[in-house]
Amino acid sequence: MTLLQLEGVSVRFGERAVASALDGVDLAVAEHEIVCVLGPSGSGKSTLLRVVAGLQPVADGRVLLGGADQAAVPVHRRGVGLMFQDHQLFPHRDVGGNVAFGLRMRGASKRSSEARVTELLELVGLPGAQGRAVASLSGGEQQRVALARALAPSPRLLMLDEPLGQLDRGLRERLVVELQGLFSRLGTTVLAVTHDQGEAFALADRVVVMRDGRIAQAGTPLEVWQRPASEFVARFLGFENVVPAELSAGVAATPWGKVPVPAGSPAGEHQVLIRPAGVVLSAVGLGCEVVSRTFRGTHVALLLRPEVGPVLEAECGLEGAPAVGDRVSVGFAPAEVVVLPGE
Ligand code: ADP
Ligand code: MG
């Protein structure tokens, strides 16, 4: 069942704006699905959430929730919860008062609201915190209170805009795992925005990569990671080994020489991505100098300066990893080579 549907949604700021903040966006989110929108700053992620919430009028297109066009439905009637990056708890209210805010606004009785607050604080791991002052909470605790507040009215769609953006890395990684567990237990439908791919890939059933107000790629984390749809997506995911190549008969002629490509690859000129795991140390092959090496826990990441072509990212096992300044030679593994479909 589709809960949220965007059909050709465009948003423009200013009358003479050349570029649109959103440009013909089509997106469907199923019930219970967690979709993460990823993209660089300014690509339209927040605008997308604001459109769904009803905070931003559209120039073109339609937003449907549960099959119903939302054009005439005001913000507070859409049944969506929104949590922004700067979660803005009310400093003069205690934790309980913050979580209860939306409930009381909707006319819930004091008793039912108190019961719901108790339940939600337990859910987010802050049982009994009702009476605590907001100022006494750590960043992570404030985040949990903001989440409880957004969840309190049981929104049919929860939207999170860079929900963990302000927190340090370790805490973010822990909270992502907690959020994922929480959402799957509750069956919450979530549309979340982040510029952090690690966060998106950890949380999402499906990721949507945005570029300049358009969807550059949508798919499961695995699909997007394995098969980036364009050079833009590949580079956004942090891959550096992307070069133009001439393909024929299972081989790509690249600035690094001939590279084998997967069977069934198209012929002609294409951008080619070689994942670092596909650059393999071997007895013979392209000669390189090791520029840097970084221990990554399960492997060592290498930066290589080849005899020809741009620098290469490579990976190798912990045992026998070469040192900076060493001369090595590398071959290429076709399974880690992706012919990019183009922009
Ligand atoms: P993101 O959340 O991905 O960083 P936004 O959705 O905030 O991107 O912004 C998308 C584009 O729209 C940007 O170019 C931004 O400058 C522009 N924009 C956003 N809000 C406004 C506004 N209220 N007035 C004018 N331009 C805006
Ligand atoms: Mg934003």
Side-chain angles (χ1 to χ4, degrees):
M1 268 285 286
T2 301
L3 177 64
L4 170 67
Q5 181 120 27
L6 277 79
E7 295 176 353
V9 168
S10 294
V11 169
R12 290 177 204 103
F13 292 108
E15 284 170 20
R16 295 188 303 115
V18 191
S20 303
L22 288 181
D23 189 4
V25 169
D26 295 315
L27 177 67
V29 178
E31 242 169 285
H32 309 305
E33 194 180 21
I34 300 179
V35 173
C36 275
V37 180
L38 252 177
S41 177
S43 56
K45 306 182 297 295
S46 294
T47 304
L48 183 71
L49 294 198
R50 293 172 54 79
V51 160
V52 176
L55 295 164
Q56 172 64 52
V58 301
D60 256 316
R62 301 201 300 164
V63 175
L64 298 100
L65 277 165
D69 191 332
Q70 299 294 297
V73 182
V75 179
H76 63 280
R77 303 290 296 277
R78 294 194 177 192
V80 300
L82 239 185
M83 183 176 147
F84 292 109
Q85 176 168 24
D86 47 354
H87 38 78
Q88 287 171 343
L89 296 176
F90 307 111
H92 53 280
R93 289 171 197 259
D94 61 13
V95 166
N98 269 277
V99 178
F101 177 74
L103 299 169
R104 302 291 289 174
M105 287 276 287
R106 278 165 182 75
S109 73
K110 191 156 189 293
R111 246 185 88 188
S112 75
S113 152
E114 277 172 2
R116 181 80 178 134
V117 169
T118 301
E119 184 187 343
L120 278 155
L121 288 176
E122 275 167 17
L123 201 63
V124 300
L126 287 172
Q130 281 88 335
R132 289 181 63 184
V134 163
S136 75
L137 303 174
S138 71
E141 288 169 336
Q142 290 191 22
Q143 211 72 30
R144 287 161 204 256
V145 173
L147 181 66
R149 184 177 64 179
L151 285 169
S154 305
R156 53 181 167 168
L157 175 67
L158 179 65
M159 295 196 290
L160 310 169
D161 194 346
E162 309 265 0
L164 310 177
Q166 311 281 47
L167 305 174
D168 65 58
R169 178 132 218 118
L171 182 56
R172 258 166 41 198
E173 282 169 6
R174 278 210 310 284
L175 278 176
V176 162
V177 174
E178 285 183 24
L179 284 181
Q180 198 195 26
L182 183 65
F183 295 151
S184 74
R185 280 204 309 283
L186 293 176
T188 320
T189 306
V190 180
L191 183 60
V193 155
T194 173
H195 63 267
D196 182 313
Q197 32 144 321
E199 217 165 281
F201 280 58
L203 196 57
D205 298 317
R206 205 148 52 88
V207 295
V208 172
V209 184
M210 293 201 59
R211 175 190 198 184
D212 297 338
R214 297 185 190 181
I215 293 178
Q217 186 171 8
T220 66
L222 193 65
E223 282 164 2
V224 174
W225 187 256
Q226 290 191 325
R227 304 241 144 264
S230 62
E231 176 174 6
F232 170 81
V233 175
R235 292 198 184 277
F236 183 74
L237 296 179
F239 292 119
E240 301 285 349
N241 301 339
V242 181
V243 288
E246 179 73 33
L247 279 82
S248 62
V251 172
T254 76
W256 298 302
K258 290 209 177 345
V259 171
V261 295
S265 295
E269 277 181 37
H270 295 277
Q271 293 290 118
V272 166
L273 157 68
I274 307 174
R275 272 192 281 266
V279 182
V280 187
L281 299 179
S282 61
V284 289
L286 176 64
C288 302
E289 183 190 339
V290 179
V291 178
S292 73
R293 54 176 254 174
T294 312
F295 177 66
R296 289 277 163 75
T298 55
H299 64 270
V300 172
L302 300 171
L303 198 61
L304 307 175
R305 186 177 300 114
E307 286 157 0
V308 293
V311 290
L312 260 175
E313 286 184 320
E315 272 176 28
C316 68
L318 308 179
E319 294 287 326
V324 171
D326 279 0
R327 310 278 319 171
V328 296
S329 52
V330 298
F332 299 96
E336 301 293 340
V337 176
V338 182
V339 179
L340 300 173
E343 302 289 271

